[in-house]
Amino acid sequence: MELRQLRCFVAVAEELHFGRAADRLMLGQPAVSQQVRRLERELKVELFDRSPRYVRLTAAGERFLPAAREVLAAERAASALAAELAAPSAPAFGLGTITGLGERLDRILDAYQRHAPEVRVELHSAPVQERLARLADGRLDAAFVRGEIPAGTDDVRFLPLTADELVVALPARHPLAERSELDLADLAELPLRLTERRNHPALVDLVLTACHRAGFQPVPGPASSTLQDTLAAIGTGTPMWTVVYAANARLTSHPRIAFRPLRDRVLALPLALGVRRTVPYPELLVAACRGRAAHDHES
């Protein structure tokens, strides 16, 4: 079993499409298919249910996916440690991340690489309360926060950024997908598939409150642990809907799913960046987040 086989398997499992997985890995589709087939032969089990219309994980593939992700995560951790050992004097900048940042995260990394090449940015993903705790005690230098903006402290200040718009995801063949934008009330008859509130209370509260204001109680659909699972379910064509950050939607290509904005942009979550007051180059962070060149911000 080789790491490249696991990378190909995980990419196909997450994209549910060999072509998109190949684009993501910057490989040819035949090479990705070959690596997955080799892995299946070594494991002596089919990992995917393939047809001309879809690619799905088999029961064995579902069970194997977490283990494959753990191996790849361990490989990344080992590589990161090796890099750290090779350059122990390089200063590190800990940044707490969230889903749906889109190009903003790339701008931050590019800005630091251009203007502070001596700083190594380390990304950390954690639930919001843990993220805030790490920021407060100095384990993180900065962190993104969505929803209600916390009060600042002597050690941490919160810098408001633009709100993150949410768009609707629904089956591409549903009649509502023919419209260029939707009213929230148009979705009243469709089951709503959302993550459990404990995973993202700000998002769930925002959507449910907006539905109530639009005059309906959403039909509850099955909860999903990941956005990938939710989009895969919607892609089957079963009438249902969910919400996706617009930045994520712009980066997602899924022929069986339609992403549509809501009229008047009624769903948006405030976004802020919490920054420790001792952090270097705070203006660089804010400029990158807001999409402005650092020299424009500084002038």
Side-chain angles (χ1 to χ4, degrees):
M1 189 184 306
E2 300 178 2
L3 288 174
R4 60 182 173 178
Q5 294 172 345
L6 296 180
R7 291 191 187 98
C8 290
F9 163 68
V10 170
V12 176
E14 292 179 349
E15 298 290 343
L16 294 178
H17 192 282
F18 278 85
R20 289 195 297 273
D23 291 342
R24 170 172 150 183
L25 296 169
M26 292 184 289
L27 296 173
Q29 184 172 335
V32 173
S33 299
Q34 183 183 57
Q35 292 301 323
V36 172
R37 284 295 189 193
R38 287 179 179 175
L39 180 61
E40 289 177 320
R41 284 197 296 271
E42 290 188 22
L43 297 175
K44 297 180 175 61
V45 67
E46 292 287 330
L47 298 172
F48 293 103
D49 179 14
R50 303 164 173 87
S51 87
R53 293 182 294 107
Y54 62 80
V55 175
R56 296 175 182 168
L57 284 166
T58 62
E62 294 271 7
R63 293 185 61 189
F64 186 66
L65 181 56
R69 284 173 169 156
E70 288 181 7
V71 172
L72 295 179
E75 186 266 342
R76 289 193 296 270
S79 297
L81 177 60
E84 183 178 341
L85 294 174
S89 59
F93 179 88
L95 177 63
T97 62
I98 51 180
T99 60
L101 287 174
E103 64 276 6
R104 272 173 300 204
L105 186 56
D106 291 329
R107 286 200 298 262
I108 289 174
L109 299 180
D110 290 344
Y112 258 85
Q113 187 174 28
R114 288 194 307 270
H115 297 273
E118 75 282 4
V119 176
R120 184 179 73 257
V121 179
E122 296 179 349
L123 304 180
H124 300 267
S125 177
V128 61
Q129 294 305 323
E130 183 178 348
R131 210 180 317 132
L132 291 173
R134 293 183 187 181
L135 182 63
D137 64 20
R139 285 177 290 168
L140 289 177
D141 297 294
F144 288 98
V145 183
R146 278 200 187 98
E148 184 178 353
I149 307 303
T153 67
D154 291 340
D155 298 321
V156 177
R157 56 177 171 159
F158 288 89
L159 309 173
L161 306 173
T162 56
D164 276 350
E165 179 191 351
L166 291 153
V167 298
V168 170
L170 71 163
R173 294 185 178 180
H174 194 279
L176 288 176
E178 298 176 4
R179 305 182 187 180
S180 59
E181 60 181 9
L182 302 172
D183 287 313
L184 202 54
D186 296 334
L187 304 162
E189 302 300 322
L190 295 183
L192 168 61
R193 188 159 182 157
L194 277 183
T195 186
E196 295 181 7
R197 186 180 183 279
R198 60 185 174 85
N199 296 329
H200 201 330
L203 173 65
V204 173
D205 290 348
L206 174 73
V207 174
L208 296 183
T209 299
C211 289
H212 294 161
R213 288 175 177 168
F216 70 98
Q217 173 78 28
V219 180
S224 292
S225 58
T226 66
L227 178 61
Q228 172 196 338
D229 291 342
T230 299
L231 294 181
I234 292 174
T236 65
T238 302
M240 65 177 70
W241 65 288
T242 191
V243 292
V244 178
Y245 292 112
N248 271 0
R250 287 192 292 269
L251 299 176
T252 302
S253 175
H254 201 309
R256 295 188 297 275
I257 294 176
F259 297 102
R260 295 292 180 266
L262 287 164
R263 193 170 283 110
D264 299 326
R265 307 301 188 260
V266 296
L267 291 181
L269 275 175
L271 177 68
L273 184 69
V275 183
R276 291 191 63 80
R277 296 183 185 277
T278 56
V279 77
Y281 314 113
E283 71 286 347
L284 198 62
L285 278 172
V286 177
C289 290
R290 292 175 175 167
R292 299 197 300 269
H295 63 79
D296 291 340
H297 182 82
E298 291 164 359
S299 61

